[in-house]
Amino acid sequence: MPAKSFYITTAIDYTNAAPHLGHAYEKVLADTLIRWRRLRGIPSYFLTGVDQHGQKVQMAAQREGIEPAAYAARETAKFKALWQTLGLSNDGWAETTHPAHKRVVQGCLAKLHAAGELYKASYTGFYSVRQEQFLTDKERLPDGTFGPEWGQVVELVEENWYFPLAKHRDWLVSLLKTRSLVFPDFRQQELLNAAEKISGDLCISRPKERLSWGIPLPFDENYVTYVWFDALINYISFAGYRPLGESGPEFEGLPDFAALWPADFHIIGKDILIPAHGIYWLIMLHALGFSDDQMPRFLVHGFWNMGGARMSKSTGNTADPAVLAAQYSPEALRYYLMRDIATGQDADFSAERLIARYNADLANDLGNLVNRTLSMANRYRGGVIQPPPPGFPLTAELAAAAAALPGRVAAQMETSQVHAALEAIGEFVTRCNGFIETAAPWKLAKDPAPETAAALDATLGLLADAIRLLAILISPVLPRPAEEILSQLGLDPAAELRFDRAKPGLLPPGHRVGSPRPVFPRIETSPPPA
Ligand code: MSP
């Protein structure tokens, strides 16, 4: 039996900017999907991390007058702290300055070099001295000149190392024609179109005199590796890949590559499928000798925008997830990020909607359901509840809806449509609250006749069991509240949080529930002015 059935990775984030809402979304999505698999009992591994090298990091450090390593460590700490606040359950953590990663990158470079997959050539182009980068026609103004933001632009000849892409074009095109590697499907089509147009090769080196903050090429000491070449390799280096059979203490604690690879999903945003992942990465793996069966799959998500425009730090058009989590709670943020976007599509962030969603769906609907059920069970039955007899007329309809719910949720979760799973859960919560209104336990409690007492028992028993079911199903998105609800129900969360417990009728007769405490306190503050 393989050690894993599921290996999920997320794009690693830049360290030259504080984490923003888009980063938080991607990690929470990955965390939710992996938690779902764990709930199903599927051995799973979740890797995420930070991309610490490159020109942008070096320049940001220079601006502050500190070493790039110190800068990267400081920014990395911000990401780590936020991921902890948001309750990420990653098994691995990829920092690209890790010595094992460095050796694997160098091993990959050496392997490609030995296989004749790298060549040196000179390039003549326009170079911005201020921004320390070559400019392309994309950077030209309509009149053909380069704008003042680039400072002095000079024509420069530079020798560099190149990785051939064009010679692998036919392989990539036929791979994409025969295998489904990208979700959603239309992104695979976009990638195929781009693959058909591959013409140039990829420059994978930077001369040390202009970029020192990178991994040195093992066969040419005057150069470091281009940051994307380095960063992409994180997916295999932190999964235990050793291109030349490397060993040493720096590899301790890394997983067994054969057991993990290929990743069932790399979760990435739509901006980095083409060319970085869909073209460079697949061709890199192919050139390294990975078979077609060893190609990873991509789950490509959309973007969170603000006011219809792309989030951008320079225009101040961003939302800070650390601030949102502190202001409204990590749970409110997780729930909103999973509920208000369809996986693969874009959405517009709004603090009003975050508050409204949380207050309506969680504080009001689910929170009240838990609170009312436990209060009534305590008030009318001293906390002791009985399962409804099968086919009991009062509860039959809701019992049928409860029985159907896990399948409905699973169908959505297994196609990564978390928002739709939450919608199904929300509908069921609404039905449960409607049922309380119709069954009116407070009226039943006033009548001691045996059939009325049986109706009250059935009502409370069904509701308590429905809450247990809801806690299990919502746990991938809201792990902490799920545990809290199960504890209040008098259950052991560790034993209960399994998909095979997500079926109705598992509360034993005479089960004693605990007393309610607010799980989703209402957000009373209003959002900051737009
Ligand atoms: N460091 C590279 C990835 C290297 S992977 C080997 C990178 N970093 S990033 O910080 O710019 O982006 C990290 C992830 O966040 C990407 O998947 C990106 O698509 C995602 N997002 C960045 N902005 C986003 C939104 N506004 N909305 C949703 N996700 C977005 O790219």
Side-chain angles (χ1 to χ4, degrees):
M1 159 116 173
K4 74 113 201 190
S5 307
F6 203 83
Y7 167 35
I8 202 164
T9 63
T10 65
I12 57 176
D13 301 310
Y14 276 130
T15 49
N16 71 331
H20 67 67
L21 194 76
H23 300 147
Y25 164 60
E26 181 173 285
K27 311 310 144 182
V28 172
L29 175 62
D31 189 59
T32 298
L33 295 178
I34 207 87
R35 283 177 184 273
W36 174 261
R37 263 100 189 156
R38 290 196 198 110
L39 196 67
R40 297 294 308 248
I42 303 171
S44 302
Y45 193 90
F46 169 20
L47 174 70
T48 189
V50 280
D51 178 4
Q52 298 170 306
H53 288 126
Q55 187 93 33
K56 289 191 182 173
V57 173
Q58 177 171 302
M59 284 170 66
Q62 257 162 19
R63 278 196 296 275
E64 291 194 32
I66 57 175
E67 286 301 316
Y71 179 88
R74 188 191 73 196
E75 296 303 301
T76 295
K78 288 185 197 162
F79 281 87
K80 268 187 145 165
L82 179 63
W83 300 158
Q84 206 171 358
T85 303
L86 292 182
L88 295 196
S89 61
N90 51 306
D91 302 284
W93 176 248
E95 287 183 16
T96 55
T97 50
H98 191 289
H101 174 74
K102 181 175 164 181
R103 286 194 57 200
V104 173
V105 169
Q106 291 189 321
C108 289
L109 283 161
K111 196 167 171 177
L112 291 173
H113 187 244
E117 289 282 354
L118 299 175
Y119 65 90
K120 204 171 186 180
S122 69
Y123 172 80
T124 308
F126 290 96
Y127 183 78
S128 154
V129 178
R130 179 196 289 170
Q131 298 297 342
E132 301 186 34
Q133 72 178 76
F134 276 98
L135 304 177
T136 65
D137 283 344
K138 270 193 285 177
E139 278 87 40
R140 286 186 196 275
L141 296 173
D143 68 1
T145 62
F146 294 105
E149 69 277 22
W150 301 109
Q152 189 192 5
V153 176
V154 292
E155 207 173 0
L156 202 77
V157 185
E158 194 173 273
E159 276 216 299
N160 268 306
W161 285 89
Y162 288 81
F163 173 59
L165 298 175
K167 79 171 194 195
H168 296 296
R169 183 186 49 227
D170 292 350
W171 165 79
L172 183 59
V173 166
S174 89
L175 179 82
L176 293 170
K177 280 185 174 162
T178 49
R179 279 168 198 247
S180 166
L181 292 181
V182 189
F183 174 87
D185 289 344
F186 75 93
R187 296 268 175 221
Q188 169 125 0
Q189 189 55 45
E190 279 178 12
L191 176 59
L192 177 59
N193 295 344
E196 279 167 342
K197 292 195 196 85
I198 293 174
S199 55
D201 293 337
L202 176 67
C203 176
I204 55 108
S205 68
R206 298 291 181 268
K208 262 191 191 153
E209 72 259 14
R210 68 178 174 90
L211 177 65
S212 57
W213 184 235
I215 299 178
L217 299 190
F219 45 82
D220 195 337
E221 59 180 18
N222 298 320
Y223 295 87
V224 299
T225 324
Y226 170 45
V227 65
W228 268 103
F229 193 89
D230 156 359
L232 287 162
I233 289 176
N234 95 87
Y235 297 128
I236 50 178
S237 61
F238 290 95
Y241 179 62
R242 301 169 191 210
L244 304 175
E246 289 84 349
S247 62
E250 61 270 50
F251 290 92
E252 258 163 44
L254 291 179
D256 173 12
F257 188 64
L260 278 190
W261 192 260
D264 299 78
F265 277 127
H266 289 333
I267 300 190
I268 58 173
K270 62 181 184 178
D271 57 328
I272 58 173
L273 175 67
I274 303 168
H277 285 79
I279 293 185
Y280 303 162
W281 182 224
L282 293 182
I283 293 182
M284 280 164 71
L285 288 168
H286 176 64
L288 281 166
F290 284 67
S291 71
D292 291 1
D293 289 337
Q294 291 177 304
M295 292 298 145
R297 294 174 64 225
F298 303 109
L299 170 57
V300 184
H301 62 76
F303 262 55
W304 281 95
N305 299 320
M306 287 240 301
R310 198 173 168 152
M311 283 193 195
S312 149
K313 231 188 152 193
S314 53
T315 57
N317 198 34
T318 59
D320 183 339
V323 171
L324 294 171
Q327 210 164 8
Y328 305 122
S329 83
E331 282 65 39
L333 182 57
R334 277 183 77 106
Y335 182 74
Y336 173 72
L337 288 174
M338 291 300 96
R339 180 65 186 86
D340 233 24
I341 191 169
T343 310
Q345 287 167 32
D346 291 352
D348 215 60
F349 172 76
S350 128
E352 283 93 345
R353 279 189 66 79
L354 185 156
I355 296 172
R357 276 275 184 222
Y358 174 89
N359 280 344
D361 299 359
L362 300 180
N364 274 359
D365 291 355
L366 181 56
N368 271 344
L369 174 63
V370 174
N371 201 286
R372 290 164 95 189
T373 302
L374 294 184
S375 304
M376 292 190 296
N378 280 294
R379 193 172 320 134
Y380 305 138
R381 287 292 183 258
V384 178
I385 55 125
Q386 310 299 340
F392 195 75
L394 177 68
T395 50
E397 207 183 309
L398 191 63
L405 184 66
R408 289 177 66 200
V409 171
Q412 300 296 354
M413 291 300 282
E414 262 135 57
T415 48
S416 310
Q417 296 303 315
V418 183
H419 73 289
L422 289 175
E423 203 178 316
I425 289 174
E427 274 169 30
F428 181 69
V429 172
T430 305
R431 285 183 79 149
C432 289
N433 280 322
F435 173 74
I436 296 182
E437 293 307 316
T438 331
W442 47 91
K443 285 190 193 150
L444 299 175
K446 286 190 186 139
D447 180 356
E451 58 287 4
T452 319
L456 179 59
D457 273 334
T459 298
L460 296 174
L462 179 69
L463 288 170
D465 200 41
I467 292 168
R468 185 187 61 82
L469 193 66
L470 284 164
I472 298 172
L473 293 175
I474 212 162
S475 66
V477 177
L478 297 170
R480 289 185 281 228
E483 289 188 11
E484 176 61 31
I485 293 171
L486 290 168
S487 303
Q488 292 187 21
L489 272 172
L491 297 166
D492 170 15
E496 212 59 35
L497 285 171
R498 291 169 20 194
F499 187 70
D500 58 15
R501 299 282 305 165
K503 47 183 176 238
L506 296 189
L507 275 184
H511 177 77
R512 183 178 287 275
V513 299
S515 1
R517 288 177 302 277
V519 184
F520 301 110
R522 240 189 118 70
I523 299 174
E524 301 292 356
T525 50
S526 29

